[in-house]
Amino acid sequence: MSSFKVHKSLTDADLLLEYRRYGELAVLGELYNRYMSLVYGVCLKYLKDREESRDAVMQIFEKLVVTLKEHEVAHFKSWLYVTTRNHCLMQLRAGKGKKFEEISPSFMENDTVFHLDDEPEMETNLSKLEKCMDTLVVEQKQCVQLFYLQQKCYKEIVQLTGYDDNKVKSYIQNGKRNLKICMDQHG
């Protein structure tokens, strides 16, 4: 076991510096752990498969072990996001038995997900969204989470919740409207 103790209070830049200096996997693990859910989310968005996404999370970590020793990274979170996206795109291009659809540059320029300068605003919006989700009635919250976050179809939500088809549609529609109202009030 290493004599270096990883402190959760260290900044990303401090952890990067320590990793480059001493090559301690525990340091890199602490840094990567901060953003593992981001990496998984990006992988899931592109690969649309949970198992492949989990594998990609591990493959990306393994790449970082080598890459971060060789390259200086100024803004780790933004760099990791781009690295993750590129890894997924390379996997899709390699085939993997799935159809790859090229994303047009104009779409990417207009999509807020790719505007890394807007990251603090995006995080604020995500925080507001989480708080607003807690204001929804249980049925709306459950259906909205299943539909938008877990990308389940109406039929799957009906099976998972036991609500009838019309109720599911109503809960999603009303939940979405209530979220918008809440976000507007807190914006």
Side-chain angles (χ1 to χ4, degrees), residues 25-54:
L25 282 179
V27 175
L28 182 59
E30 170 64 31
L31 179 60
Y32 192 64
N33 198 43
R34 293 177 181 182
Y35 302 108
M36 200 177 303
S37 59
L38 168 76
V39 172
Y40 178 72
V42 172
C43 290
L44 196 56
K45 176 182 176 182
Y46 284 96
L47 302 176
K48 299 188 185 337
D49 181 273
R50 290 179 182 177
E51 197 59 41
E52 279 186 41
S53 296
R54 283 190 208 106

Side-chain angles (χ1 to χ4, degrees), residues 2-183:
S2 157
S3 61
F4 181 84
K5 185 178 179 186
V6 177
H7 298 284
K8 294 190 183 303
S9 62
L10 291 177
T11 65
D12 292 354
D14 291 338
L15 289 172
L16 278 170
L17 185 63
E18 290 297 318
Y19 178 69
R20 284 180 58 90
R21 192 177 288 157
Y22 302 109
E24 293 286 338
L25 282 179
V27 175
L28 182 59
E30 170 64 31
L31 179 60
Y32 192 64
N33 198 43
R34 293 177 181 182
Y35 302 108
M36 200 177 303
S37 59
L38 168 76
V39 172
Y40 178 72
V42 172
C43 290
L44 196 56
K45 176 182 176 182
Y46 284 96
L47 302 176
K48 299 188 185 337
D49 181 273
R50 290 179 182 177
E51 197 59 41
E52 279 186 41
S53 296
R54 283 190 208 106
D55 290 346
V57 168
M58 293 311 301
Q59 291 163 359
I60 291 165
F61 179 77
E62 290 166 4
K63 277 186 187 178
L64 296 184
V65 171
V66 175
T67 306
L68 289 176
K69 285 182 184 177
E70 299 169 354
H71 301 287
E72 281 192 45
V73 175
H75 303 285
F76 181 73
K77 186 177 181 181
S78 302
W79 177 86
L80 181 61
Y81 177 89
V82 172
T83 299
T84 301
R85 184 191 69 205
N86 290 344
H87 176 86
C88 292
L89 290 174
M90 292 304 290
Q91 269 196 287
L92 291 170
R93 284 188 185 118
K96 297 282 183 190
K98 295 190 177 196
K99 184 180 174 188
F100 176 73
E101 185 176 320
E102 191 68 44
I103 299 170
S104 76
S106 63
F107 172 77
M108 289 179 65
E109 288 170 11
N110 294 324
D111 194 332
T112 55
V113 171
F114 297 99
H115 288 242
L116 297 176
D117 295 337
D118 296 336
E119 230 171 63
E121 184 182 333
M122 222 173 11
E123 286 184 23
T124 301
N125 284 339
L126 285 173
S127 179
K128 281 192 279 187
L129 180 63
E130 286 175 1
K131 287 176 185 162
C132 288
M133 283 290 287
D134 289 336
T135 67
L136 297 178
V137 295
V138 175
E139 296 85 357
Q140 288 177 2
K141 182 178 179 179
Q142 183 182 23
C143 290
V144 166
Q145 285 177 327
L146 289 168
F147 188 75
Y148 290 106
L149 301 178
Q150 296 181 27
Q151 299 180 332
K152 303 286 186 194
C153 67
Y154 290 128
K155 190 175 182 180
E156 289 174 306
I157 297 171
V158 167
Q159 291 171 345
L160 289 168
T161 62
Y163 307 136
D164 69 54
D165 197 46
N166 289 332
K167 285 281 188 195
V168 167
K169 289 177 184 175
S170 175
Y171 289 142
I172 291 169
Q173 186 176 21
N174 292 334
K176 183 179 171 184
R177 186 189 68 244
N178 290 335
L179 280 176
K180 182 173 178 6
I181 291 168
C182 179
M183 293 288 286

